[in-house]
Amino acid sequence: MLATVGVSDLESLFDEIPGHLRAEVLKRVPHALPEMEMARLIAGRAERDGRYVNFIGAGAYEHHIPAAVWELTTRGEFYSAYTPYQAEASQGTLQLLYEFQSMMASLTGLAVSNASLYDGASGLAEAVLAAIRAHKKSHRVLLPATVHPVYRSVVRAIARNQGVELVELPHNEDGAVDAVDLAGNSDVAAVVVPQPNFFGVLEDVDALTDAAHGIGALVIALVNPVSLALLKSPGEWGDDGADFAVGEGQPLGVPLSSGGPYFGFMCCKERYVRQMPGRIVGRTTDVDGKPGYTLTLQAREQHIRRSKATSNICTNQGLLVTAATIHMALLGAAGLRRVATHCHQNTNELQLQLSAIPGVARAFARPFFHECVLRFERPIAGVMRAMEAQGIVAGLDLTHYYPDLGHSMLVCATEVRTKEEIAEYARHLERIMSRRPLDPPCAVKTAS
Amino acid sequence: MLIFEQSRRSRRSTSQAPAAEGDIGGIPANLLREDEPLLPEVSELQAVRHYTRLSQRNFSIDSHFYPLGSCTMKYNPRACNLYAMLPAFLGRHPHAGVGTGQGFMQCMFELQEILTDVTGMQGVSLTPLAGAQGEFAGVAMIRAYHESRADDERVEILVPDAAHGTNPATATMCGYKVREIPTDSNGDVDLAALREAVGSRTAGLMLTNPSTLGVFERHITEIAQIVHGAGGLLYYDGANLNAIVGKVRPGDMGFDVIHMNLHKTFSTPHGGGGPGAGPVGVNQRLLPFLPIPYVLESNGDYRWATERDCPHSIGRLSANMGNAGVLLRAYIYALLVGRQGMARIADFATLNANYMMARLKAAGVDMAYPGRRATHEFIVTMKRLKEETGVTAMDVAKRLLDKGFHAPTVYFPLLVPECFLVEPTETESKQEIDGFIDALLEIFDEARRDPETVKSAPHTTPVRRLDEVKAARELDVAWRVGPAR
């Protein structure tokens, strides 16, 4: 091969790189490991982390994933393909994306879905920017305090340099947003309405949607896709429905995985489709009249529009969407509804048992979906550590995010939590709250 | 056939959902949905067969040579996938305490160290979810840097005309105006134009090196001096890092900030268009602005850097810490490749590209930059072929699909007419590459003998050329029974 190129050695291939720039040995890169030794090292790291019984949700939910989902998703033909630029050689990915878009459009009750975004938080930032483009007249967006605090940080970080004004709407003592707080604002491009909200609380979405439309603002629904098997879809909210729906897709067949990769989804009314960021797949026909699928409306995108694109996004989260599509196909509407109803039932059971413990109470009386805030009479950090020692990840400490709520914790029990696990949680928490030692004292369970 | 068309009322894979409905007494009726969502009602076998068959309608690295220029479609080692999917990694909640994730965090910390060394920077944050988000983080840091010095005049980002579309789109997202810098006839940045463009309005220059033209930017040291001399910063788009990994480091070239595409250089799967991972690296002066969280280490204990540690950070870009599973795959890949292996990536990626270019040149195929050394990719131009036969680069691309090869990138970069950007990567064998070259030469020959066959290709794929105009005009983006809401 070198002879064909006309050089004598590999080094000659780099003769256009100025010599003084050439790198020396990469001292901080370890020496190569054979697969067997790598496997030992990685398995050791995984073992060190152990397995805990998890009661945190807060945007990432542990659900049962049918065995077939990742068996199929990791087939090389899905796993090692790329963005379907050559449509004729990518009909598998393209049709799957079209099916995904169809499922999401139906779940959200909106006409159009894109082929996914990076994750729920960055998806919300993109939805805020899209709604501002669609509204045309204002750069102000109302962002309730009942939206995930990290999502709000992400929206700020991404939208900050584009002249977007984010106005925070407070939550009331029920842990929800009052439509009257919203109605007093003017010159607003969009209002974000979370359902369920970060506290797990169910907002009065009809009133909020109508109030937002009443002040001439668009509505961005921030929703959990599993809840949509049960709850009113954004397209049905209020008199006219939400204009955009966005959210974290992880609950649809994606494992917790320490935080990623997940995927964000975004749907909208048909009239706003040209403001949508990200890939969109359309159905069309080939020269023989046979149905087929292709990327469409690409004139919105960076590789065509460059500095005038709707976003700099070029990929979607194809592999995760592959898993989600297969997951939804296996569960169907009835299966997904069972998941949703079981999540509600389990979290309800958990909060009933926990709030019966002295020193623990529910923070908000309003109905919730599958998460719930508990208020404690003691600092949360110590409680969490004591629970962790029993192999239980108890919940998310909200003290830092919402100092006004006192010692509060967000808990979640999805359909995978058993009666026994919930009872065990309550038993340990009761003991910790009453400051009794373990019985017997040496019976410290280590995570295994 | 769509999965929906196989649906029959009440058919389901019963074992995969809870056995019965849960009690929802606590949820008021006015918040419940009335209509059932239109999800498929199929058996497990139907779903498995349907998606298996769909997968077979794809070209992929595992099944086909995929020389898509600027995308680095190299083999994704199976071990990276298997070991990143160990149950402890998959089961860990992102908000669980750091005490429950020290093993995972050690992997992330060591990956930060590896990437810092590979890029010659001073610090790395793994959090950007894709290359484009890494670009966003990088330019946002440039902006934060100038703002921290109250240097508010700098409103322009310079971008070479050969750049990826993400560069100008990113600059716009960060609130900058974009100013294009032309390329000279040898494929290098036009230095005279650059000197004229820089000044007190320059926030920075975004550069890909090797550039998208498949050549190494030879005047990089001078470019760095010109931009820095004007008070601007230098941004490295890591799209083409595979060409130089272990050979030359962006930090040593004078770049202040870099993003990497781990789905390219570190061989994490492209997944049909994602997930990616786009870590950013910075030199000393941009360290305070790195996006959070990233991993801090002291005495073997690992924890996340937060707002309290990094008050000047540009903030958070995702709900968690980035695409953890992708980062684990990249880390495992780095362990398998190792210190010496890094440079061998560049060696063989470059050898394969130069070999292909030499063979095609010898056969009379036109190159965009025939006088230059190819990097890990090179550009074929078919302007002459089109003039002589009417056959376009797109026609040739489609005909390659009939021959069992994924087409190279077509019509990018925009500067070169009727172009193919060809990137073989280091993982392809000489046999595979020779097969591709033979196929391409056959098509060139066919274009002269029988142009219609090439122009009407592909002939053997599951569908033939699609009506893209119809797709956009009669928008059908979701299957539904009733009218659209």
Side-chain angles (χ1 to χ4, degrees):
Chain A
M1 290 172 87
L2 288 169
T4 306
V5 180
V7 294
S8 56
D9 56 16
L10 281 170
E11 274 311 304
S12 307
L13 298 173
F14 297 90
D15 54 9
E16 288 194 2
I17 299 178
H20 69 279
L21 292 178
R22 290 295 298 275
E24 290 167 13
V25 179
L26 303 170
K27 293 196 188 68
R28 286 150 83 185
V29 179
H31 289 286
L33 295 179
E35 190 172 297
M36 182 175 75
E37 285 175 37
M38 175 281 294
R40 189 177 299 138
L41 182 145
I42 295 292
R45 300 268 170 92
E47 205 168 301
R48 186 176 171 196
D49 289 354
R51 299 299 305 275
Y52 291 78
V53 180
N54 171 57
F55 287 92
I56 313 185
Y61 303 92
E62 186 178 352
H63 291 293
H64 176 69
I65 302 170
V69 172
W70 283 88
E71 285 280 317
L72 290 169
T73 300
T74 52
R75 281 181 68 94
E77 300 94 327
F78 286 134
Y79 187 80
S80 73
Y82 194 34
T83 301
Y85 292 119
Q86 293 291 341
E88 301 89 343
S90 313
Q91 285 296 299
T93 289
L94 284 162
Q95 183 178 329
L96 184 139
L97 291 174
Y98 178 86
E99 292 182 358
F100 168 77
Q101 291 172 183
S102 307
M103 294 177 190
M104 295 316 297
S106 177
L107 274 177
T108 58
L110 292 168
V112 177
S113 165
N114 73 5
S116 77
L117 298 165
Y118 302 140
D119 78 339
S122 60
L124 178 61
E126 291 283 358
V128 163
L129 295 171
I132 287 170
R133 287 191 298 271
H135 188 272
K136 295 195 182 97
K137 295 191 192 95
S138 167
H139 274 65
R140 183 182 300 165
V141 172
L142 305 187
L143 196 55
T146 57
V147 168
H148 195 314
V150 177
Y151 280 40
R152 283 182 277 141
S153 304
V154 171
V155 173
R156 269 194 297 279
I158 293 178
R160 163 163 51 207
N161 294 322
Q162 298 192 59
V164 176
E165 186 191 346
L166 298 169
V167 180
E168 188 169 299
L169 283 178
H171 65 81
N172 61 25
E173 59 186 29
D174 281 343
V177 173
D178 281 325
V180 289
D181 286 338
L182 193 161
N185 293 275
S186 60
D187 184 28
V188 177
V191 181
V192 177
V193 179
Q195 181 76 328
N197 71 24
F198 179 65
F199 301 135
V201 166
L202 294 171
E203 301 268 6
D204 188 354
V205 289
D206 292 333
L208 290 170
T209 300
D210 289 342
H213 286 153
I215 59 168
L218 299 174
V219 171
I220 300 168
L222 176 63
V223 288
N224 177 318
V226 168
S227 80
L228 294 179
L230 178 65
L231 300 179
K232 191 181 271 188
S233 71
E236 300 170 309
W237 292 1
D239 292 337
D240 295 326
D243 301 282
F244 289 85
V246 66
E248 174 55 67
Q250 175 274 335
L252 297 171
V254 178
L256 293 172
S257 329
S258 298
Y262 296 170
F263 72 92
F265 60 88
M266 193 191 293
C267 301
C268 69
K269 290 179 178 168
E270 187 145 17
R271 72 186 87 131
Y272 302 125
V273 65
R274 276 161 219 284
Q275 303 310 330
M276 181 89 98
R279 305 282 193 217
I280 299 175
V281 173
R283 180 143 84 149
T284 183
T285 45
D286 74 358
V287 290
D288 299 328
K290 200 168 161 189
Y293 304 86
T294 182
L295 293 174
T296 192
L297 299 183
Q298 295 193 72
R300 301 164 296 113
E301 295 187 60
Q302 50 76 28
H303 61 287
I304 312 275
R305 292 276 285 171
R306 300 177 76 83
S307 65
K308 295 186 177 58
T310 52
S311 167
N312 71 346
I313 279 187
C314 31
T315 46
N316 55 17
Q317 295 280 99
L319 198 67
L320 294 315
V321 166
T322 304
T325 306
I326 299 169
H327 187 80
M328 286 189 276
L330 286 167
L331 286 178
L336 204 59
R337 192 186 146 92
R338 285 185 180 187
V339 172
T341 55
H342 264 263
C343 288
H344 175 76
Q345 178 179 293
N346 279 356
T347 299
N348 193 44
E349 181 59 32
L350 178 70
Q351 69 85 15
L352 284 173
Q353 292 192 27
L354 300 187
S355 58
I357 296 169
V360 182
R362 243 179 99 181
F364 307 117
R366 272 176 87 108
F368 56 85
F369 171 51
H370 69 350
E371 276 178 284
C372 189
V373 178
L374 298 174
R375 201 171 272 157
F376 285 63
E377 283 176 3
R378 290 174 45 184
I380 301 295
V383 175
M384 301 253 295
R385 270 197 303 276
M387 293 293 289
E388 220 172 79
Q390 305 309 314
I392 295 171
V393 171
L396 181 70
D397 183 357
L398 297 185
T399 317
H400 165 68
Y401 296 125
Y402 296 93
D404 56 310
L405 294 182
H407 306 308
S408 59
M409 186 163 83
L410 184 64
V411 296
C412 170
T414 64
E415 87 283 7
V416 300
R417 293 283 75 87
T418 62
K419 279 196 177 67
E420 292 73 24
E421 288 167 338
I422 290 169
E424 177 102 336
Y425 184 154
R427 194 171 62 77
H428 282 297
L429 186 65
E430 190 278 328
R431 180 185 55 72
I432 290 163
M433 292 305 288
S434 63
R435 298 176 191 274
R436 283 201 317 278
L438 276 174
D439 180 29
C442 58
V444 176
K445 182 181 162 195
T446 49
S448 56
Chain B
M1 190 192 265
L2 289 162
I3 188 83
F4 305 103
E5 294 167 299
Q6 300 167 46
S7 216
R8 290 295 177 272
R9 194 73 199 139
S10 303
R11 188 183 284 155
R12 61 180 68 156
S13 323
T14 41
S15 71
Q16 294 168 344
E21 289 272 329
D23 178 11
I24 51 160
I27 301 179
N30 69 318
L31 296 178
L32 298 177
R33 84 183 281 153
E34 286 165 19
D35 66 328
E36 197 170 76
L38 213 59
L39 298 185
E41 296 179 275
V42 293
S43 72
E44 179 173 350
L45 172 60
Q46 281 181 302
V48 168
R49 189 172 288 159
H50 176 73
Y51 290 107
T52 300
R53 284 184 180 168
L54 280 193
S55 78
Q56 291 165 338
R57 291 160 78 92
N58 269 359
F59 280 30
S60 67
I61 301 172
D62 282 4
S63 54
H64 296 79
F65 183 42
Y66 211 124
L68 202 59
S70 213
C71 297
T72 310
M73 301 299 288
K74 60 181 176 184
Y75 172 61
N76 311 136
R78 277 292 190 275
C80 301
N81 186 52
L82 187 69
Y83 290 94
M85 291 187 80
L86 293 179
F89 294 138
L90 292 187
R92 188 171 168 274
H93 194 286
H95 290 308
V98 291
T100 70
Q102 289 291 297
F104 165 69
M105 291 176 79
Q106 185 178 357
C107 296
M108 294 299 101
F109 180 78
E110 289 174 7
L111 179 61
Q112 287 172 191
E113 294 284 293
I114 290 168
L115 297 180
T116 301
D117 196 14
V118 164
T119 58
M121 306 308 278
Q122 294 297 314
V124 161
S125 169
L126 302 172
T127 180
L129 295 172
Q133 210 188 44
E135 280 186 40
F136 174 85
V139 177
M141 283 191 273
I142 290 176
R143 184 164 171 148
Y145 169 79
H146 291 309
E147 281 175 357
S148 75
R149 297 156 48 95
D151 194 351
D152 299 329
E153 304 279 289
R154 301 188 180 275
V155 293
E156 277 179 5
I157 287 281
L158 309 179
V159 177
D161 54 4
H164 288 107
T166 47
N167 289 179
T170 298
T172 301
M173 277 190 89
C174 292
Y176 282 118
K177 290 194 172 61
V178 176
R179 185 158 175 176
E180 272 202 358
I181 306 296
T183 301
D184 71 19
S185 58
N186 296 317
D188 292 316
V189 168
D190 183 333
L191 288 184
L194 178 65
R195 282 200 189 89
E196 204 165 293
V198 298
S200 60
R201 289 163 61 83
T202 305
L205 168 71
M206 298 180 82
L207 196 66
T208 311
N209 193 18
S211 74
T212 60
L213 301 174
V215 294
F216 189 85
E217 175 56 63
R218 291 170 292 189
H219 308 303
I220 181 57
T221 307
E222 265 174 289
I223 290 171
Q225 281 162 359
I226 293 168
V227 174
H228 286 148
L233 298 185
L234 212 56
Y235 180 92
Y236 183 89
D237 179 326
N240 293 340
L241 190 63
N242 210 55
I244 57 162
V245 59
K247 293 285 177 185
V248 52
R249 308 189 304 170
D252 299 336
M253 289 190 242
F255 286 93
D256 300 287
V257 50
I258 164 178
H259 90 267
M260 295 149 260
N261 301 88
L262 297 187
H263 46 286
K264 298 182 184 178
T265 317
F266 285 74
S267 208
T268 67
H270 281 73
V280 281
V282 292
N283 64 10
Q284 201 67 36
R285 62 176 143 187
L286 291 179
L287 270 180
F289 307 108
L290 273 178
I292 48 174
Y294 51 88
V295 184
L296 297 172
E297 184 263 357
S298 81
N299 301 322
D301 280 338
Y302 301 91
R303 68 180 182 89
W304 297 111
T306 67
E307 287 83 353
R308 273 163 285 185
D309 302 292
C310 315
H312 302 292
S313 164
I314 58 160
R316 292 175 187 268
L317 302 172
S318 69
N320 302 302
M321 59 73 61
N323 278 338
V326 179
L327 298 166
L328 267 176
R329 284 167 175 80
Y331 173 67
I332 295 168
Y333 177 77
L335 292 182
L336 292 170
V337 169
R339 185 181 295 175
Q340 274 77 20
M342 290 290 165
R344 291 172 69 82
I345 293 173
D347 279 339
F348 289 100
T350 305
L351 175 63
N352 281 352
N354 277 281
Y355 171 77
M356 286 181 85
M357 183 165 97
R359 261 203 70 189
L360 288 169
K361 227 158 67 173
V365 176
D366 296 334
M367 299 296 141
Y369 297 98
R372 296 293 303 268
R373 186 76 74 200
T375 57
H376 64 317
E377 59 189 357
F378 62 96
I379 303 177
V380 173
T381 171
M382 290 167 229
K383 186 162 170 270
R384 194 161 52 95
L385 183 77
K386 187 183 171 191
E387 284 162 7
E388 289 170 9
T389 66
V391 167
T392 65
M394 186 61 87
D395 298 332
V396 177
K398 299 299 184 197
R399 190 66 178 137
L400 272 169
L401 305 180
D402 284 333
K403 308 262 180 191
F405 296 100
H406 196 281
T409 299
V410 285
Y411 299 114
F412 181 85
L414 310 172
L415 301 180
V416 183
E418 296 300 323
C419 68
F420 265 13
L421 182 60
V422 188
E423 181 183 4
T425 82
E426 73 278 12
T427 55
E428 294 297 333
S429 66
K430 179 172 180 295
Q431 289 86 337
E432 194 74 42
I433 288 171
D434 281 333
F436 174 85
I437 293 168
D438 293 344
L440 191 60
L441 294 176
E442 272 169 39
I443 296 168
F444 274 65
D445 185 44
E446 189 176 42
R448 294 193 161 76
R449 280 187 293 105
D450 178 13
E452 281 316 308
T453 299
V454 185
K455 283 185 200 171
S456 55
H459 304 279
T460 58
T461 45
V463 294
R464 294 180 57 214
R465 268 190 232 199
L466 292 156
D467 188 342
E468 292 185 8
V469 174
K470 180 181 171 187
R473 285 217 183 119
E474 301 166 29
L475 201 61
D476 173 1
V477 295
W479 186 84
R480 53 173 64 84
V481 180
R485 233 197 295 271

